[in-house]
Amino acid sequence: MAAVQALGYAGFGSSALDDWRQFGTRLVGLQAVERSAALLAFRMDDRKQRIVIDRSMPEGARFLGWEVTDAAALEALAARLEAAEVEVSAEPQTLADARRVGGLISFRDPAGNRLEAFYGAEIDATPFCPGRSISGFRTGPLGLGHAVLTVEHIDAVMPFYVDLLGFGLSDYMQKPFRAFFFHINARHHSLALIETGRNGMHHLMVELFSLDDVGQCYDVALSEADRVNVTLGRHTNDLMTSFYARTPSSFMVECGWGGREIDPSTWRPFEMQNGPSLWGHERVWLPPAAREEAQKMRMRAAAAGLRAPVQVMEGNYQLISGTCPWWDGVKAGD
């Protein structure tokens, strides 16, 4: 059983707070919450914050907050890490308050990424109010979404997440780039590692309730120069329909819909032979040779008629109640 339950929050260092505010609200649909002149937070559900942009942190600095059940689970995780000779810091209540949680610890993975584990996320008394008209984000027990990190060598980092934090391997691929995907709950993956020869942040994924939310978000992104870094497409493993937008920082946000759920107790990992995408997802960030190889893999998938079921939640077959007051009124009058 995983020592952590879900990706609870993420934070990034950036001085471009105004650009981030515009990106987060106008494009992604997050709710901006002004914490201070140096701190911008975003809500995406009933929690007080899910994403934090901190001017006081160096550009490119980041932290990922992994959720546990309670204080006892946090203590157990700290003991488990310390037994493996991982340096653990019991963070002061002032930082826990800033993270809007009950308590937390911090530590680093072998690639140097700052990780935080916490319990007791605070719930906001006011309803979530999106930055633009969307149906909302799929979070709850699945967590914020997923984070993808670039690493020098996957084999040097993977045991930390699998053996110490209890992540399960969902699947992996060797071409057109080496990537491994890991789960801790029913979300197909909450973490992925891409081997690029350097350590960094690749992207953060948020999943919306409606496919139309993603399409309209894509239109917004297309209206901005150089905003789209990966075109609209569908993944072969988590079956997400998505695109990737360049953030004001050095990584991307993936806006997706229709991600598959798995049963961690019965799931068996496998190697993906057909590349990362069934169609679309032209990756402008790839080197030319890898980009050409990825395109050839998509063409082979098309020639073979490779298909996968659409992952639609119960209740998502029709327009979601509460999404459009006008439509709700029309239905009520029938």
Side-chain angles (χ1 to χ4, degrees):
M1 184 176 179
V4 294
Q5 294 180 312
L7 177 60
Y9 59 77
F12 306 95
S14 175
S15 60
L17 295 191
D18 290 340
D19 292 341
W20 261 105
R21 187 182 299 104
Q22 282 289 104
F23 175 85
T25 57
R26 180 177 178 270
L27 194 149
V28 183
L30 302 167
Q31 177 183 350
V33 181
E34 309 290 342
R35 296 295 186 206
S36 69
L39 196 67
L40 174 66
F42 291 107
R43 288 181 60 191
M44 57 191 301
D45 54 14
D46 61 349
R47 295 199 177 180
K48 286 194 172 179
Q49 62 189 35
R50 286 288 195 173
I51 300 171
V52 174
I53 310 299
D54 191 344
R55 194 197 301 271
S56 68
M57 289 170 54
E59 195 75 34
R62 59 194 170 273
F63 56 83
L64 299 176
W66 299 99
E67 188 166 6
V68 300
T69 52
D70 51 29
L74 191 66
E75 290 180 10
L77 175 59
R80 184 174 181 175
L81 291 166
E82 288 171 338
E85 299 183 344
V86 175
E87 185 176 345
V88 177
S89 296
E91 297 294 350
Q93 190 60 44
T94 52
L95 184 58
D97 292 342
R99 298 286 194 262
R100 270 45 184 189
V101 298
L104 76 155
I105 60 173
S106 67
F107 48 97
R108 293 187 180 272
D109 70 9
N113 294 294
R114 178 184 169 93
L115 307 180
E116 297 178 358
F118 73 93
Y119 72 92
E122 294 181 11
I123 304 301
D124 203 297
T126 60
F128 168 63
C129 182
R132 64 178 181 86
S133 182
I134 59 170
S135 60
F137 296 96
R138 192 180 183 195
T139 57
L142 300 178
L144 155 65
H146 71 233
V148 177
L149 302 171
T150 62
V151 296
E152 288 186 71
H153 303 289
I154 287 175
D155 295 339
V157 180
M158 185 164 61
F160 176 88
Y161 286 98
V162 174
D163 299 336
L164 279 182
L165 297 186
F167 283 72
L169 178 63
S170 297
D171 44 48
Y172 63 98
M173 63 184 179
Q174 304 289 355
K175 295 180 179 181
F177 49 86
R178 196 164 184 240
F180 284 61
F181 302 82
F182 307 91
H183 60 264
I184 45 176
N185 53 47
R187 192 182 289 283
H188 173 273
H189 61 278
S190 294
L191 174 75
L193 303 174
I194 300 179
E195 192 169 87
T196 64
R198 66 179 184 86
N199 298 321
M201 183 75 192
H202 187 268
H203 75 264
L204 187 72
M205 188 282 296
V206 295
E207 184 177 1
L208 294 111
F209 278 129
S210 171
L211 177 59
D212 291 335
D213 289 336
V214 174
Q216 290 162 358
C217 185
Y218 191 52
D219 279 346
V220 174
L222 287 171
S223 72
E224 302 178 7
D226 301 320
R227 182 63 72 191
V228 176
N229 268 16
V230 180
T231 62
L232 190 69
R234 191 171 185 224
H235 284 301
T236 51
N237 58 353
D238 68 354
L239 307 180
M240 189 84 70
T241 299
S242 65
F243 77 96
Y244 297 61
R246 177 182 52 82
T247 72
S249 297
S250 59
F251 65 94
M252 299 177 286
V253 164
E254 178 185 6
C255 297
W257 172 85
R260 82 193 304 175
E261 289 191 25
I262 66 170
D263 182 349
S265 66
T266 59
W267 184 263
R268 295 293 178 266
F270 61 94
E271 181 179 355
M272 293 186 290
Q273 302 286 352
N274 297 301
S277 302
L278 288 164
W279 55 268
H281 282 158
E282 182 70 20
R283 294 164 172 82
V284 302
W285 56 271
L286 275 178
R291 192 171 174 180
E292 182 180 356
E293 185 175 18
Q295 186 180 49
K296 288 179 179 178
M297 296 178 89
R298 294 197 304 274
M299 292 300 101
R300 287 198 297 269
L306 192 63
R307 303 289 184 267
V310 175
Q311 309 295 299
V312 182
M313 297 178 301
E314 199 66 40
N316 201 213
Y317 297 94
Q318 298 177 352
L319 188 64
I320 303 167
S321 296
T323 301
C324 176
W326 173 82
W327 182 243
D328 287 347
V330 170
K331 287 192 295 182
D334 289 345

